[in-house]
Amino acid sequence: MKRLAQIAMLVVAALFVSCGNKEILRHTEPIYTPRYAKGFAIERDKESGERLLCVINPWQGAKEVKFYTSLDKLAPAKRIVAMSSSYVAMLDAIGCTERIVGISGCHFISTPSAIINIEAGRIAEVGYDSTFDFERIKSLNTDVVLLYGVAGEAKILTNKLDELGIPYLYIGDYLENDPLGKAEWVVALAYLCGVEEQGKALFEEVEARYNTLRNQKHCSAYRPRVMLNLPYRDTWFMPPAGSYMVRLIEDAGGEYILTENGKRKTENGKRKTKNEKRKAENGESSSTTSTPISLEEALVLASRADFWLNLGQIASKEELCAVAPRFANVDAVKFHRIYNNTKRTNASRGSDFWESGAVRPDLILGDLIKILHYEAPTDSLYYYTQLK
């Protein structure tokens, strides 16, 4: 408990001084600079020699927010609570599943080794949102809680963890637009667990496989157009140009139906929205904000698409036509070019696409290439299934 209290004090102090303290920044040097990820770096304090994990802007809308944590004090973390399934997959990929003692949403987990430990009682459910079980986390003698922020800092959660003396780290993998950037967070967790060489080797293998697939020449002549998602009530939210899923489609040799050279398509031709123009003039990126479009515009886009991907929990063509009857006659539906990323979904609707897929974008890219260029059947795909 004394060690935990010391670590907690260190983390809290690091958080306090890290939010834009330029004096600290001037006295660090890089140890590991990510090639793709934007949200973390491994540095060394020039004065103390401590190795630091620097987490950068770990929630949507964050600007110039940095958290520093001393790896020399916290690593190797041996008792970890994971608040996201992607952290479970990353820890499993570097052989550290046995270090996980708590998970938020155990029934959503797909990682086989974690499921075994959950069923054996070696991993506890810690709850989520209003049912978060702080006392359970404390009783697990937790070394660190891996958490995330969405629209801002998770103050309700972190204030209580501070009160209990439980260290925590923000992990911002979900904010990465580059598929390899998302996967590169496995290196950050490897440093936290003291297996950094294993983490770097794993990432380099994933990177090599991904780039080999991306650089194949199959996609040079034909770039099929891809529609994404389903409507929420009366609005269709489409991911922006440059975002995670769009990059995967483009790396697979496809063309996202909403964009062409970064410009929005509509039934009235090609134009930029006022919001996109404002962001461009201000030098802001629009790659983290989904674009809401009407059902009418979505129908126009879908009618141009060769393929339709990522349809929520839709399990068949019949179900799709019942949910979106106006779209039943678009070519992608008529010719069965509809594929959903739900092949590896468990009984609780936990999706392995967002779990192991976070650290294995090469497998996702492989699926997309097979779909877009060979109209591959379900049995040859890893994450995707063809809807019939």
Side-chain angles (χ1 to χ4, degrees), residues 3-14:
R3 176 174 174 270
L4 282 174
Q6 291 173 335
I7 294 173
M9 291 176 64
L10 171 69
V11 173
V12 172

Side-chain angles (χ1 to χ4, degrees), residues 94 101 118 159 175 187 261 286 341:
I94 55 175
V101 295
I118 291 168
N159 285 348
L175 291 169
V187 178
N261 299 323
S286 61
N341 54 354

Side-chain angles (χ1 to χ4, degrees), residues 48-307:
S48 68
E50 281 187 307
R51 297 178 308 151
L52 304 170
L53 170 58
C54 176
V55 177
I56 306 159
N57 297 332
W59 54 76
Q60 293 177 358
K63 294 182 179 180
E64 298 183 2
V65 175
K66 292 187 177 183
F67 294 113
Y68 286 89
T69 299
S70 172
L71 290 170
D72 292 338
K73 300 296 185 181
L74 190 55
K78 296 182 178 179
R79 299 185 65 80
I80 299 170
V81 168
M83 298 300 294
S84 170
S85 62
S86 65
Y87 312 159
V88 175
M90 290 182 185
L91 290 167
D92 177 69
I94 55 175
C96 293
T97 311
E98 297 301 320
R99 304 191 190 198
I100 303 172
V101 295
I103 291 175
S104 174
C106 285
H107 55 292
F108 292 119
I109 297 302
S110 299
T111 301
S113 59
I115 292 173
I116 291 172
N117 286 348
I118 291 168
E119 292 175 346
R122 291 189 289 270
I123 294 178
E125 171 63 60
V126 299
Y128 45 87
D129 298 332
S130 60
T131 64
F132 198 71
D133 193 339
F134 293 100
E135 293 305 320
R136 172 66 63 85
I137 291 178
K138 186 174 180 65
S139 71
L140 293 171
N141 295 320
T142 303
D143 286 335
V144 64
V145 177
L146 304 181
L147 52 80
Y148 56 87
V150 180
E153 192 171 358
K155 278 290 189 180
I156 294 177
L157 181 59
T158 58
N159 285 348
K160 186 64 175 180
L161 291 174
D162 284 336
E163 179 184 327
L164 294 172
I166 301 172
Y168 55 85
L169 290 174
Y170 280 101
I171 305 296
D173 65 309
Y174 84 100
L175 291 169
E176 300 287 350
N177 289 320
D178 192 316
L180 287 173
K182 184 186 292 286
E184 197 167 12
W185 275 86
V186 75
V187 178
L189 295 192
Y191 269 93
L192 178 66
C193 292
V195 292
E196 51 267 32
E197 295 307 317
Q198 188 170 334
K200 287 187 282 189
L202 170 70
F203 175 70
E204 287 170 2
E205 291 172 4
V206 171
E207 177 191 27
R209 286 190 291 264
Y210 189 97
N211 285 331
T212 296
L213 289 169
R214 176 169 54 185
N215 294 331
Q216 288 177 0
K217 300 301 181 182
H218 55 254
C219 56
S220 58
Y222 171 53
R223 299 187 69 82
R225 294 162 296 186
V226 180
M227 183 67 177
L228 289 171
N229 300 346
L230 274 179
Y232 177 72
R233 297 179 179 172
D234 293 329
T235 304
W236 205 296
F237 290 93
M238 298 286 284
S243 59
Y244 175 75
M245 197 65 218
V246 174
R247 290 196 183 193
L248 281 163
I249 289 168
E250 292 173 346
D251 287 346
E255 179 185 313
Y256 181 38
I257 196 67
L258 191 64
T259 59
E260 182 176 307
N261 299 323
K263 296 181 180 180
R264 181 173 171 181
K265 289 183 177 180
T266 72
E267 59 268 41
N268 296 320
K270 299 172 188 175
R271 63 176 173 84
K272 278 190 177 180
T273 65
K274 290 182 180 179
N275 190 47
E276 286 169 335
K277 287 181 179 179
R278 178 190 62 76
K279 288 191 173 186
E281 290 167 357
N282 293 336
E284 300 176 32
S285 170
S286 61
S287 61
T288 59
T289 305
S290 293
T291 301
I293 61 176
S294 67
L295 293 184
E296 289 72 22
E297 186 173 0
L299 183 58
V300 171
L301 294 172
S303 69
R304 296 173 179 164
D306 300 299
F307 290 86

